[in-house]
Amino acid sequence: MYVPAHFAATDADVADLLRHHGAADLVTQTDDGLLATFLPFVHDETAGTLRGHLARNNDQWRTPARGDALVIVRGPDAYISPSWYASKREHGRVVPTWNYVTAHVYGELVVHDDPAWVEEVVRALTSKHEAGREQPWSVDDAPAAYLAGQLRAIVGVEVRIRRVEAKFKLSQNRPPADITGVVDGLASSGDEASAAAVRDQQNRS
C-alpha cells in the first residue's frame, strides 16, 4: 500500500480500527488463484490475531493458502467535493478526492475445525456487536440443539498477524479552512461517520 507520511496511521489508530471495525475481506492466494470472503472478525489484541468463521461449504478454508493471508479492513470512506474547500473560492485550484480509512493486515491463516473454538468466536463476535443495545441478544437465547447445528455448519479461521499497513487519508494535506469545509460538507450530506473521522484526525494534529 502506498502511504504518504501525512496519511500514515499511528499504532493507536490501527488498534482502534481493528477493535471497532465491522467486517473485512479475507484474501488468500492459492494454487487455484485468489480467493476472497467478506466476514466479521474480532481482534484479539493480546494474542495478536483476527478471529472469525467461514461457512463449511466455503472452499476457502479447505484450500491451502500460499504465503500470508491478507485481511482488508475498512473504516469510513467518502467522496470529497472540491466545492467544500475554502481554497476553491480563493484560487479554484482544487480537484475531487476520496477520504478513507483502511488497514491491510497480513498473517498466517490457521483453520480451526473445532466446535468449542468456533463457539468461543461466535460468543466474542456477538458480545462485540450486541454491546450497547437496549436488549442485547445472547448466544444462550438460542435453543442448545439449534446452536449446535449452526456451529457444525461453520469453521473457525484465525489470522496470526505478522504486519499491518494502514492509511488514514482524512484531508490532513489540506489547509485548516479546507478541513473545516470537509467536515461541514460531510455532516450536511448525512455522513457523520466520515465527518467524525476527519474531525478526530484534525483534533490530534
Side-chain angles (χ1 to χ4, degrees), residues 95-106:
V95 293
T97 191
W98 206 276
N99 273 5
Y100 55 90
V101 170
T102 189
H104 290 182
V105 181
Y106 298 87

Side-chain angles (χ1 to χ4, degrees), residues 3-185:
V3 186
H6 44 270
F7 296 144
T10 66
D11 290 343
D13 288 334
V14 172
D16 188 66
L17 175 61
L18 297 184
R19 189 180 304 120
H20 295 109
H21 84 281
D25 293 295
L26 171 66
V27 183
T28 51
Q29 173 65 46
T30 76
D31 289 339
D32 298 324
L34 292 173
L35 298 177
T37 303
F38 188 65
L39 70 157
F41 282 99
V42 63
H43 182 215
D44 185 330
E45 296 183 54
T46 302
T49 63
L50 293 174
R51 297 180 294 147
H53 59 79
L54 296 172
R56 183 170 293 279
N57 290 336
N58 185 331
D59 284 337
Q60 189 171 13
W61 71 268
R62 59 167 60 91
T63 306
R66 296 173 55 187
D68 282 349
L70 165 64
V71 180
I72 303 174
V73 180
R74 297 179 182 85
D77 71 280
Y79 171 78
I80 304 301
S81 171
S83 65
W84 295 339
Y85 294 150
S87 54
K88 173 186 178 292
R89 296 182 291 277
E90 295 170 9
H91 51 68
R93 296 189 300 274
V94 293
V95 293
T97 191
W98 206 276
N99 273 5
Y100 55 90
V101 170
T102 189
H104 290 182
V105 181
Y106 298 87
E108 177 190 7
L109 179 67
V110 179
V111 173
H112 295 274
D113 193 2
D114 173 1
W117 194 95
V118 174
E119 181 177 351
E120 182 180 332
V121 169
V122 169
R123 289 182 180 276
L125 284 165
T126 301
S127 296
K128 173 183 175 180
H129 295 292
E130 291 287 333
R133 294 181 182 272
E134 189 173 331
Q135 295 182 314
W137 182 84
S138 166
V139 171
D140 295 319
D141 291 343
Y146 172 79
L147 176 61
Q150 295 295 299
L151 291 174
R152 286 194 295 272
I154 57 179
V155 175
V157 290
E158 177 181 42
V159 175
R160 295 177 178 170
I161 300 171
R162 299 189 201 274
R163 63 188 174 95
V164 179
E165 297 176 352
K167 186 174 183 178
F168 282 47
K169 183 177 179 293
L170 297 168
S171 300
Q172 299 98 313
N173 59 329
R174 303 303 309 179
D178 284 1
I179 296 175
T180 298
V182 167
V183 171
D184 292 344

